[in-house]
Amino acid sequence: MVAVTVTAWRRGRVLVEARRDCRDLPATGDLAVLDDPAPTAFALPGIPGRIVVSSGMLQALAPDERRALLAHERAHLQRRHHLFLLVLQLASAVNPLLHPLARAGAFARERWADEEAGSVVADRSLVARAVARAALATKRAAQPALAATGGPVPQRVRALVAAPTPFRRGLAMVFPVLMMVCCVSLALAAQEMDQLFDGATSSHSTTQAR
């Protein structure tokens, strides 16, 4: 409970501070431009959600690449990826063995936004160029969690320039079935453990009575 509380508080504080820092930025629709030569672009969740892009990032990208980058960030907002990220972080806080799952989930979140952007601009290779150029522009500068340069960029670019993976409905249905089996197994195990405990307690009480 302490780990979950600390993780949730840190995530909330980061979000509140980001909203405070960006509340006075001039915005056109959901886009707010930060007058800063340092390249940065990220999705800022909230009501309403906003996409924050610096002037440095706009200058570093070609017009079509800007459109791809904005589509990526809009995907983060529309699909509420900040909640997806929060669930992963809370799960890994509860169980440290889930840290690899959290990292894999963070990568999947970026790939999700990449593919959404590829559908919007109808050009996955354009998204690959935008992501690669944005990553080169930011270099080693720290980026927010929902930035377009998040995750292992080379792997994302390779996935975008490769042929898209066909959707396999049967394989997708396996996951919820396995989750259901796991939940039922845990419930049965807990029930059996409770019965064993009750049986042991009853046997101990009988022995004492004799």
Side-chain angles (χ1 to χ4, degrees):
M1 288 300 297
V2 171
V4 169
T5 302
V6 171
T7 300
W9 179 78
R10 286 176 176 173
R11 289 293 305 159
R13 185 183 63 177
V14 169
L15 180 58
V16 170
E17 289 178 352
R19 293 287 300 183
R20 185 181 62 240
D21 293 341
C22 299
R23 64 186 174 187
D24 296 329
L25 292 178
T28 302
D30 62 351
L31 178 62
V33 179
L34 176 65
D35 186 13
D36 189 344
T40 185
F42 58 92
L44 184 60
I47 304 175
R50 305 175 78 182
I51 300 170
V52 180
V53 182
S54 69
S55 56
M57 179 63 80
L58 295 177
Q59 293 174 1
L61 301 179
D64 55 347
E65 293 170 346
R66 296 174 196 166
R67 188 163 56 93
L69 186 75
L70 295 180
H72 175 100
E73 299 300 349
R74 285 196 177 94
H76 281 317
L77 292 179
Q78 293 171 356
R79 302 303 181 183
R80 301 186 184 279
H81 287 172
H82 61 289
L83 299 179
F84 182 68
L85 177 63
L86 178 61
V87 170
L88 292 174
Q89 291 177 334
L90 293 179
S92 62
V94 172
N95 185 355
L97 295 177
L98 295 179
H99 283 169
L101 177 63
R103 290 193 296 268
F107 175 68
R109 178 201 64 208
E110 293 300 329
R111 287 286 300 116
W112 185 357
D114 288 342
E115 294 297 336
E116 289 274 349
S119 298
V120 170
V121 301
D123 188 347
R124 297 171 74 246
S125 61
L126 173 60
V127 179
R129 292 199 307 272
V131 169
R133 185 164 295 183
L136 290 175
T138 55
K139 295 181 180 178
R140 298 183 180 180
Q143 294 294 310
L146 294 181
T149 53
V153 173
Q155 294 181 25
R156 291 169 55 194
V157 171
R158 282 197 298 269
L160 284 167
V161 298
T165 303
F167 177 71
R168 299 175 181 175
R169 188 177 301 275
L171 186 60
M173 292 299 297
V174 169
F175 179 74
V177 171
L178 289 177
M179 290 296 294
M180 183 65 69
V181 170
C182 289
C183 291
V184 171
S185 299
L186 288 174
L188 292 176
Q191 183 180 12
E192 184 176 355
M193 183 66 69
D194 187 56
Q195 291 175 351
L196 289 174
F197 180 77
D198 290 342
T201 303
S202 176
S203 176
H204 181 68
S205 299
T206 302
T207 302
Q208 286 185 333
R210 290 177 179 176

